[in-house]
């Protein structure tokens, strides 16, 4: 009996012996595959970072010619870009953007004002509409309506900006002028409203995700204390999702300030220094798009357009840093760290 059991045990050991090397080889192949996948992901990430750094270096190198070359400094110095200049004898100094002329005028102030006006109009419309729509979809809309509403609004993000610009140019501008009596057909209001159509899907999507991510226990505790659903949504859920909503607004602001085709087609492209929103405007991004194709490579005008791109990047970077700092403070206060 013992001999029979020992023979059976020996047979089991002989059948089990080839299994161990097979399992170890499978584990080695799996580890090798995971290392290859991790290496590919890491290489892809570093490739994207390297491409971004190279783009920034290229733009900065082309823009530095304004400060390094004597001819460029004479034509486009910092004083001429940011201080009023005498355009004609006997007239007061003014801010004028006219880089192609016998005496180039390269004031950035009209471009700043035009960019700010269109961005303010678009954000004044897109932020309330986007956040209110996200709050309704996350807190009050029935499930079937939410399944229809969210994809429909997000579908606007797939519309090309040139289509929105063409719609603003041909339809919206005429309608607003006939309805509101604008003195100019293409102005900051038309461009800002068209920009809002492109920004609302971004703000709505990110805000809705932030509102949905608020723990359900917050809502249940508020309702248990006697608050109405509206008070819960307004005073509990919305403040808890404030960091995500701020991120949505920052993304929308970045999209608005960097949008090109809509502003190029619907703003009128007139570099006017005026705070009247019904006047035509010229934005920084639209200036780059309109003039880069005809500028002489290596000229002061060429370097000036790259300098505008650097300013757009710096402005967006500073805005993101400020928003990130504010978001951290809000999160710290919500989690009790600021007490």
């Amino acid at each position: 009996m013992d001999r029979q059991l020992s023979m059976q045990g020996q047979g089991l050991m002989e059948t089990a012996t080839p299994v161990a090397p097979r399992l170890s080889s499978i584990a080695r192949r799996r580890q090798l595959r995971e290392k290859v996948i991790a290496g590919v992901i890491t290489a892809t990430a570093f490739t994207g970072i390297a491409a971004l750094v190279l783009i920034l270096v290229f733009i900065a190198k082309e823009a530095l010619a304004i400060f390094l070359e004597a001819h460029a400094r004479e034509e486009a110095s910092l004083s001429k870009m940011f201080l009023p200049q005498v355009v004609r004898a006997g007239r007061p100094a003014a801010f004028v953007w006219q880089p192609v002329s016998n005496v180039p005028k390269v004031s950035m102030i009209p471009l700043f004002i035009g960019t700010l006006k269109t961005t303010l109009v678009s954000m004044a419309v897109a932020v309330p509409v986007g956040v209110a729509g996200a709050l309704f979809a996350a807190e009050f809309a029935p499930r079937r309506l939410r399944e229809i509403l969210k994809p429909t609004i997000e579908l606007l993000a797939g519309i090309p900006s040139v289509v929105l610009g063409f719609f603003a140019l041909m339809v919206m501008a005429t309608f607003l002028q006939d309805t509101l009596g604008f003195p100019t057909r293409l102005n900051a209001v038309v461009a800002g409203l068209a920009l809002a159509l492109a920004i609302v899907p971004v703000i709505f999507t990110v805000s809705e995700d932030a509102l949905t991510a608020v723990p359900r226990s917050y809502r249940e505790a508020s309702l248990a204390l006697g608050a109405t659903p509206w008070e819960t949504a307004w005073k509990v859920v919305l403040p808890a999702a404030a960091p995500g909503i701020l991120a949505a607004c920052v993304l929308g602001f970045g999209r608005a300030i960097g949008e090109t085709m809509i502003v190029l087609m619907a703003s009128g492209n007139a570099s006017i220094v005026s705070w009247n929103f019904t006047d035509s405007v010229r934005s920084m991004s639209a200036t780059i798009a309109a003039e880069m194709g005809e500028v002489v490579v290596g000229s002061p005008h060429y370097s000036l357009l790259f300098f505008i791109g650097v300013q757009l990047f710096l402005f967006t970077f500073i805005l993101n840093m400020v928003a990130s700092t504010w978001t951290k403070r809000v999160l710290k206060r919500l989690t009790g760290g600021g007490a």
Side-chain angles (χ1 to χ4, degrees):
M1 184 69 177
D2 294 340
R3 184 176 181 181
Q4 183 177 2
L5 291 175
S6 63
M7 292 178 63
Q8 291 178 355
Q10 184 176 2
L12 290 174
M13 291 178 62
E14 291 178 353
T15 57
T17 301
V19 176
R22 193 181 309 129
L23 293 176
S24 62
S25 63
I26 293 174
R28 284 196 297 270
R29 286 198 299 269
R30 182 179 299 172
Q31 292 177 357
L32 179 61
R33 184 168 62 251
E34 291 178 353
K35 289 181 179 179
V36 171
I37 295 174
V40 171
I41 294 174
T42 304
T44 303
F46 277 103
T47 300
I49 296 174
L52 178 60
V53 171
L54 290 175
I55 291 173
L56 297 178
V57 170
F58 169 73
I59 295 176
K61 180 179 71 68
E62 297 295 336
L64 282 176
I66 296 179
F67 307 100
L68 300 179
E69 298 180 3
H71 176 61
R73 288 199 305 269
E74 181 181 355
E75 182 175 319
S77 62
L78 289 177
S79 61
K80 292 183 178 180
M81 285 189 284
F82 298 104
L83 297 178
Q85 302 294 318
V86 177
V87 180
R88 293 181 182 179
R91 293 190 177 184
F95 300 102
V96 179
W97 173 264
Q98 193 178 359
V100 182
S101 64
N102 294 330
V103 181
K105 296 91 174 175
V106 293
S107 177
M108 294 284 179
I109 304 303
L111 308 185
F112 288 157
I113 293 176
T115 303
L116 184 61
K117 285 163 67 174
T118 56
T119 304
L120 287 177
V121 172
S122 63
M123 294 299 291
V125 176
V127 170
V129 172
V131 175
L135 188 64
F136 172 75
E139 299 298 319
F140 302 105
R143 181 177 179 181
R144 291 186 178 181
L145 180 59
R146 187 186 305 118
E147 292 176 353
I148 298 174
L149 182 64
K150 187 175 181 180
T152 302
I153 296 178
E154 292 176 348
L155 187 64
L156 290 173
I159 301 177
S161 59
V162 66
V163 176
L164 294 176
F166 187 74
F167 172 75
L169 174 65
M170 302 302 297
V171 179
M172 189 181 296
T174 303
F175 174 77
L176 291 177
Q177 187 180 34
D178 295 340
T179 305
L180 302 177
F182 289 157
T184 55
R185 183 171 174 272
L186 301 178
N187 49 58
V189 176
V190 176
L193 292 177
L195 273 177
L197 295 177
I199 299 172
V200 165
V202 177
I203 297 178
F204 173 85
T205 301
V206 180
S207 299
E208 200 271 340
D209 291 339
L211 291 168
T212 306
V214 175
R216 187 169 183 81
S217 58
Y218 286 26
R219 301 174 176 85
E220 294 175 348
S222 176
L223 295 173
L225 291 173
T228 63
W230 167 248
E231 291 175 336
T232 300
W234 182 255
K235 297 182 179 180
V236 177
V237 179
L238 197 62
I245 295 175
L246 176 65
C249 296
V250 171
L251 288 175
F253 190 88
R255 171 73 188 277
I257 201 172
E259 179 58 47
T260 302
M261 289 307 301
I262 295 176
V263 182
L264 182 64
M265 299 175 69
S267 64
N269 290 314
S271 54
I272 300 174
V273 180
S274 168
W275 288 108
N276 188 349
F277 284 82
T278 60
D279 289 336
S280 297
V281 296
R282 187 180 185 91
S283 71
M284 300 171 69
S285 57
T287 300
I288 298 175
E291 300 180 7
M292 184 61 75
E294 300 178 356
V295 71
V296 178
V297 177
S299 64
H301 186 194
Y302 176 82
S303 301
L304 191 61
L305 294 178
F306 277 95
F307 184 65
I308 294 175
V310 172
Q311 294 177 79
L312 284 171
F313 168 76
L314 290 177
F315 189 78
T316 306
F317 179 76
I318 293 172
L319 176 67
N320 288 333
M321 292 296 295
V322 172
S324 177
T325 303
W326 188 84
T327 301
K328 290 179 181 179
R329 291 182 179 180
V330 172
L331 285 174
K332 187 176 181 180
R333 186 170 68 249
L334 289 175
T335 55

